[in-house]
Amino acid sequence: MTCARCENLAEDVRFRSRGELFRAIETVRQALANGDVVEVDAGPMRGVVAFSDLSDAGPLDDLLLYRFRCPDCGQIFVLGAETYHGSGGSWGKSEPLGPP
Ligand SMILES: [Zn+2]
């Protein structure tokens, strides 16, 4: 389920490089700034580094996991990446962790 607010974020994206990952992070940051998504708790697997502190120049967790929610329709989106290998990650729609 998506709505007019989040439909432009609803496309699944795969990252194959750190550069692609950070382009996606920039897109999500813009969406956060616009209020198109809000960050929500990603659960026990969440990234240690705050999403706002992620930097292409800085250290990254081996595994990144962040969850976001559309404030209008409640659609959940997940940004995940395995930075240890310098590649492998994705953005896409997800199911809620539990009751809202
Ligand atoms: Zn929506």
Side-chain angles (χ1 to χ4, degrees):
M1 176 176 69
T2 54
C3 66
R5 181 182 284 282
C6 64
E7 64 185 359
N8 62 323
L9 298 168
E11 192 174 336
D12 288 355
V13 182
R14 292 221 151 265
F15 321 131
R16 284 171 295 278
S17 70
R18 190 166 164 135
E20 289 183 6
L21 167 64
F22 274 90
R23 275 198 292 279
I25 286 172
E26 275 310 308
T27 300
V28 176
R29 280 192 174 142
Q30 196 61 53
L32 282 167
N34 293 343
D36 291 340
V37 289
V38 294
E39 189 172 2
V40 295
D41 192 343
M45 294 294 289
R46 65 181 170 272
V48 175
V49 180
F51 183 75
S52 54
D53 290 342
L54 289 176
S55 164
D56 197 5
L60 295 172
D61 297 332
D62 289 349
L63 292 168
L64 300 180
L65 181 65
Y66 300 95
R67 293 171 74 89
F68 304 89
R69 184 172 59 82
C70 172
D72 282 4
C73 71
Q75 175 66 52
I76 299 289
F77 299 93
V78 171
L79 175 77
E82 194 177 324
T83 63
Y84 180 76
H85 300 294
S87 64
S90 63
W91 164 268
K93 291 186 285 186
S94 175
E95 299 303 317
L97 284 176

